[in-house]
Amino acid sequence: MSCLDANALAELVDGTLADAARGAIEAHLDQCARCAELLAELARGLAPTRAAPPGITLVRDDGARWLAEHAGRDVAVVFGRPAAAERARVLALARALETTPVAGIVPVVAAGELDDELFVACAPVGAPEPSTWRRALDAIAALHHAGHVHGALSPACLHREGVALAIVRDPAYTAPEVLQGAPPSPASDQFSLCAIAWHALGDRAPFRGATPGALAVAMLSPPRPPHRDRTFDVLARGLAADPARRHRSLDALAAALDRRPAPWFPWLIAVLAAAGAAAIWLAR
């Protein structure tokens, strides 16, 4: 077998090499000191450059999260440095979910602090799927029923596998009162979900602003729907600047989204019949 190229070595390191080729390559490495040294150099270059939380082996940084191993299973790990009050809230939520999972929320397997950073390890998920916002609404409603608030919802949190936790908020999907310093609440989760749904259905976020302050100002006015649709009317209420003017709960939001407008034809028949009866009575 000829010496290996960089692509084959990289596939061997990251575990994507086909099983059929692995045996031949490993046999070649036993006989070729040059390729073995190249493999060692590549492995050193791909090794994580940050400390790993206790009991977790970091494997690869995929940009949004670290792929890792914990207790013999694959996990995804996110790191962040939120403000002190937010750090305590996220850590408490993660540890609560580690103990008592909630349906529709990606399971948490470990959480803690390391080198002045917060980390949360959860079951692995695929790419974000903001189009799953309707299922996410049910999951966050279950989270609220369990006495918790997500507090950092954005399109990046929504996956086919469920809703993941986030350590750092995306201002474009954060309620204005939270942007201004208020603690997150079920009403602010509702705002975030409605913003995600609006973006998924209308291909753009409901509010725009170059800074969190500019976004907070933009959120004082009702968003303009991309086209007239009853669903956008329901979402617009959930995007009200005043939390008291939003839907009473996520259950109420879900009911409003599922409610079908009454068909117009029976109402028209009833109105015409009443008008006809009135005309006959007046003609007497």
Side-chain angles (χ1 to χ4, degrees):
M1 182 177 183
S2 60
C3 286
L4 306 174
D5 62 22
N7 290 334
L9 289 171
E11 290 176 356
L12 182 63
V13 170
D14 65 20
T16 60
L17 187 69
D19 290 339
R22 180 182 295 274
I25 288 178
E26 290 178 345
H28 175 78
L29 289 170
D30 289 338
Q31 304 297 323
C32 181
R34 177 179 176 276
C35 285
E37 178 59 27
L38 286 174
L39 178 64
E41 290 182 5
L42 182 61
R44 286 193 293 270
L46 295 178
T49 57
R50 67 179 307 147
I56 295 176
T57 301
L58 299 179
V59 177
R60 187 172 71 254
D61 181 4
D62 75 352
R65 63 189 70 84
W66 280 83
L67 305 182
E69 294 179 355
H70 172 70
R73 59 184 289 193
D74 292 336
V75 296
V77 186
V78 292
F79 295 88
R81 288 188 174 92
E86 185 64 9
R87 178 184 300 235
R89 187 195 67 79
V90 174
L91 188 57
L93 173 59
R95 286 177 171 166
L97 291 175
E98 184 180 356
T99 303
T100 308
V102 172
I105 305 297
V106 176
V108 174
V109 298
E113 296 180 276
L114 178 69
D115 297 338
D116 196 35
E117 279 192 307
L118 185 64
F119 73 86
V120 175
C122 65
V125 294
E129 294 190 15
S131 61
T132 61
W133 64 268
R134 188 59 181 81
R135 282 193 286 121
L137 192 160
D138 295 334
I140 299 301
L143 190 69
H144 290 177
H145 289 312
H148 306 301
V149 172
H150 187 287
L153 286 165
S154 74
C157 297
L158 275 56
H159 305 268
R160 183 184 302 274
E161 298 83 359
V163 179
L165 295 188
I167 295 177
V168 180
R169 296 190 181 98
D170 185 332
Y173 304 91
T174 301
E177 67 272 16
V178 177
L179 289 176
Q180 294 169 1
S185 66
S188 67
D189 275 354
Q190 179 185 151
F191 182 99
S192 298
L193 276 170
C194 287
I196 295 168
W198 188 288
H199 195 168
L201 297 173
D203 296 325
R204 61 177 176 84
F207 305 103
R208 297 182 182 181
T211 65
L215 276 167
V217 172
M219 291 171 181
L220 295 177
S221 301
R224 179 176 298 178
H227 52 83
R228 194 64 183 171
D229 183 276
R230 179 183 168 278
T231 298
F232 284 108
D233 292 339
V234 174
L235 295 176
R237 179 176 175 184
L239 292 168
D242 181 358
R245 297 182 66 85
R246 297 170 196 159
H247 300 275
R248 294 189 311 278
S249 64
L250 288 186
D251 292 334
L253 170 60
L257 287 168
D258 294 339
R259 192 176 301 124
R260 296 289 182 265
W264 62 270
F265 187 72
W267 285 98
L268 178 60
I269 296 299
V271 169
L272 291 176
I280 293 172
W281 184 83
L282 291 173
R284 290 179 180 177

